[in-house]
Amino acid sequence: MDRFRPPGPRDEPPISAYCAWCGSEIYVGDEFTAYSNGDKTHNGHCENEYVMAELGITRETAA
């Protein structure tokens, strides 16, 4: 193996799924959130936004 060779497509981990919120790849070895409908999202921002949209949650300020 040539350590000075730039990484090639075979050096990347394979794609396991696509995020239901942002559409980006979820790679083998990544942590993700799985839902009962089969959707998967990245943990963190995508997970929060997906859940808020699916449940119709809005954030408001109390008056």
Side-chain angles (χ1 to χ4, degrees):
M1 179 176 187
D2 181 4
R3 64 186 180 136
F4 297 107
R5 178 180 53 84
R10 293 180 187 232
D11 297 327
E12 296 294 321
I15 296 170
S16 173
Y18 290 90
C19 178
W21 181 253
C22 74
S24 294
E25 299 87 359
I26 298 174
Y27 294 99
V28 169
D30 287 351
E31 292 185 6
F32 62 89
T33 302
Y35 304 91
S36 60
N37 65 0
D39 286 351
K40 298 174 183 172
T41 62
H42 297 105
N43 290 343
H45 176 75
C46 290
E47 173 185 27
N48 294 339
E49 295 297 322
Y50 176 86
V51 169
M52 288 179 62
E54 288 295 307
L55 297 178
I57 297 171
T58 59
R59 295 184 190 242
E60 300 177 16
T61 303

